Amino acid sequence: MRVVICGAGQVGTTIARHLASEGINVTVIDIDADQIRRVDESYDVRGVLGHGSHPSALDKAGARGADMLIAVTRSDEVNMVACQVAYSLFKVKRRVARLRHTGYLAQDKTGLYAAEHLPIDVIISPEIEIAEGIAHRLRTPGAFDMVPMADGKVELLGIHADQANCAMVGRRIAELAEAGDMTVAAVVRGERCFVPDADDSLELGDDLYVIALTDRVEAVMAAFGHRERIARRVIIIGAGNIGLHLARGLSQSSPRIDIKVIEQDAARAEHSARELGTAAVVLRGDVLDRDVQEQAQVATADTIVAVTNDDETNIFASVLAKRAGCRRAITLVNKRSYEGLIPTLGIDAVVSPSAVTISTVLRHVRHGAIMALYTLREDFGEVIEAQIGPDSKLLRRPIDALGLPQGMRIGAVVRDGEAMIATGNTELQTGDRVVALVTYNALRLAESLLGGGKRTAA
């Protein structure tokens, strides 16, 4: 498979690294010579200096005969034109574009992006996906991550095992699974992330990724000592696309929620106030200013969600809010260099825009059996949703007898519309949908076991 990526920023280079590690032929185009040099030096990827929308650059990158073009530059317009040129001149089979401006996104329903108009097969909107992801987390208080899967029948939960009353601490992983409500897919302990063995024990301070049945999520959270109430007073820092999407979505799904939005830019604050109407109170000011915090009543808020374009503002606003008495902080952070710092600051959940975009892109590159995926720690692995085909090597034997690689753990199975937690005695059937953790070093083997053939770009 051959892929051309336009844009050598954090998202583009991370996608390139992932695909190259799987043996995919990847070329990256960017106008920044330093970025291209880093791509050439750091990954098994070819870099091309030039504009991603220019025919000459695309030709040099090998667009003619490429299976897929992924346009993730900082410009919506460049991304759209790159897809058009790739289709019209080079017949690239599949085109993926990141679009951020709501005016462009609104045209998706009008047919603008059909092949006869502007040929984009997949539109990625990180801001909307991030807003929806934060809304999911607000509905599951106590979880630092929450992703619905299998049509909402199964949830991936990120849980801090940091409560003094956590009955699960000290217990073996095998014991945790006996209740049948969940599968512990991965454990983060300090700097180490691993798939636990049955005899591993949970330690206080661990972070866990758990696959649970949706109707048992409350019980699972309670078992880990998390009985937090759903937020009724939410403060959103930043009225950009993410903040506006989130405020609008929360007001529609939870009309009784009290929403305040703080925005420093006067024009943006005025625009947001018009857009939201009575759904939220929009305050103009610097969130790091004590008077603004008092006006917004940060101390009595259930949750603060910091989603400005500035990492430092988001982090400091979250820390100050927690110290003032706010119960929970959800913080948007772009820079990976801050990852090790965040846990020491008392921030409850971190949102990574690049991780959201990467998950969405990889979903369209993976083998045909994989229907959805969510990236866990870009250097570790993914939680995937896949359908068991008739040629799968996972059929007709109990899971314990399949000889799964250490980096693959099947957490749940959906059969005939009913979800169940997978056990060692579960036998998979053709048509089953499984939710499983797969580490990157086990990905190729997992895909071969699942069957279903390789995803094509047609």
Side-chain angles (χ1 to χ4, degrees):
M1 187 176 188
R2 294 175 59 189
V3 176
V4 174
I5 298 175
C6 300
Q10 182 176 351
V11 171
T13 53
T14 305
I15 293 170
R17 174 168 51 84
H18 275 290
L19 299 184
S21 69
E22 298 172 32
I24 294 174
N25 185 320
V26 181
T27 302
V28 178
I29 306 172
D30 200 276
I31 59 175
D32 188 320
D34 291 336
Q35 292 279 55
I36 289 300
R37 187 180 65 253
R38 279 192 286 270
V39 166
D40 274 328
E41 294 174 352
S42 304
Y43 316 116
D44 188 15
V45 173
R46 187 167 74 95
V48 171
L49 183 64
H51 289 267
S53 58
H54 287 187
S56 58
L58 287 167
D59 191 24
K60 187 176 179 181
R64 197 179 307 277
D67 297 288
M68 180 179 288
L69 178 129
I70 302 171
V72 287
T73 75
R74 295 180 179 179
S75 166
D76 286 358
E77 291 76 15
V78 169
N79 294 339
M80 290 190 290
V81 174
C83 289
Q84 179 70 70
V85 174
Y87 174 80
S88 300
L89 295 186
F90 301 108
K91 310 302 180 187
V92 176
K93 299 174 184 176
R94 192 165 178 81
R95 286 90 39 205
V96 179
R98 178 173 63 182
L99 301 182
R100 287 173 161 157
H101 195 281
T102 53
Y104 290 135
L105 298 172
Q107 301 306 311
D108 190 20
K109 299 177 182 177
T110 69
L112 174 63
Y113 302 114
E116 63 270 23
H117 298 140
L118 189 57
I120 302 175
D121 297 295
V122 179
I123 294 173
I124 300 169
S125 174
E127 284 82 359
I128 292 178
E129 295 201 27
I130 290 168
E132 292 176 349
I134 292 173
H136 291 317
R137 298 180 196 200
L138 289 173
R139 290 195 289 270
T140 312
F144 67 82
D145 208 350
M146 193 286 264
V147 182
M149 305 192 81
D151 297 327
K153 297 179 176 65
V154 176
E155 291 184 8
L156 169 67
L157 300 172
I159 305 175
H160 295 301
D162 58 357
Q163 302 295 306
N165 60 341
C166 179
M168 299 298 186
V169 170
R171 298 178 63 180
R172 295 166 53 247
I173 296 299
E175 295 178 64
L176 304 186
E178 288 176 358
D181 292 335
M182 63 179 175
T183 298
V184 179
V187 174
V188 182
R189 183 172 295 162
E191 296 297 318
R192 181 186 174 214
C193 188
F194 61 97
V195 180
D197 293 327
D199 291 329
D200 285 327
S201 296
L202 183 64
E203 297 182 5
L204 188 65
D206 284 349
D207 285 345
L208 294 86
Y209 285 100
V210 169
I211 297 169
L213 302 182
T214 299
D215 59 4
R216 299 296 298 161
V217 165
E218 187 174 343
V220 170
M221 296 301 299
F224 286 95
H226 291 283
R227 294 179 173 83
E228 295 87 345
R229 67 185 185 187
I230 294 178
R232 294 299 178 192
R233 295 186 301 278
V234 175
I235 297 175
I236 300 171
I237 310 301
N241 289 337
I242 297 174
L244 193 55
H245 283 306
L246 178 60
R248 188 184 293 117
L250 290 178
S251 67
Q252 292 172 352
S253 62
S254 306
R256 295 182 180 180
I257 197 169
D258 177 9
I259 305 170
K260 291 186 177 71
V261 180
I262 302 176
E263 171 57 49
Q264 188 166 11
D265 182 79
R268 188 66 193 180
E270 184 178 344
H271 170 74
S272 300
R274 288 196 305 269
E275 287 286 314
L276 295 172
T278 60
V281 175
V282 179
L283 304 173
R284 183 201 165 197
D286 182 356
V287 68
L288 302 182
D289 186 290
R290 181 171 296 180
D291 291 338
V292 174
Q293 295 173 23
E294 291 177 355
Q295 185 182 2
Q297 298 178 310
V298 168
T300 60
D302 294 314
T303 303
I304 186 171
V305 182
V307 288
T308 75
N309 291 325
D310 184 79
D311 285 356
E312 290 76 14
T313 297
N314 293 340
I315 292 171
F316 281 117
S318 300
V319 171
L320 291 174
K322 288 293 294 282
R323 289 184 178 178
C326 181
R327 292 185 176 88
R328 190 175 185 217
I330 299 175
T331 309
L332 182 126
V333 179
N334 284 282
K335 297 174 184 174
R336 294 185 64 186
S337 56
Y338 287 146
E339 286 181 359
L341 175 66
I342 297 299
T344 68
L345 300 177
I347 293 172
D348 302 280
V350 175
V351 179
S352 168
S354 63
V356 171
T357 306
I358 291 161
S359 292
T360 306
V361 170
L362 293 180
R363 187 181 308 158
H364 297 280
V365 182
R366 293 281 180 252
H367 286 207
I370 297 178
M371 305 160 65
L373 65 86
Y374 182 74
T375 302
L376 298 184
R377 296 172 61 100
E378 294 172 11
D379 59 347
F380 179 66
E382 301 164 355
V383 172
I384 64 170
E385 179 184 337
Q387 187 160 26
I388 302 298
D391 59 340
S392 172
K393 300 174 184 176
L394 302 179
L395 292 169
R396 293 178 288 278
R397 283 182 295 166
I399 288 177
D400 271 352
L402 292 174
L404 297 178
Q406 171 64 24
M408 181 179 184
R409 173 154 298 171
I410 298 175
V413 179
V414 179
R415 179 178 298 158
D416 299 327
E418 295 293 325
M420 57 183 170
I421 293 298
T423 70
N425 295 322
T426 301
E427 293 190 26
L428 299 178
Q429 300 177 9
T430 300
D432 284 351
R433 293 163 68 182
V434 298
V435 178
L437 169 77
V438 181
T439 60
Y440 286 121
N441 58 12
L443 185 59
R444 286 190 182 181
L445 179 54
E447 288 179 328
S448 69
L449 291 172
L450 290 166
K454 198 175 184 69
R455 183 183 294 278
T456 65

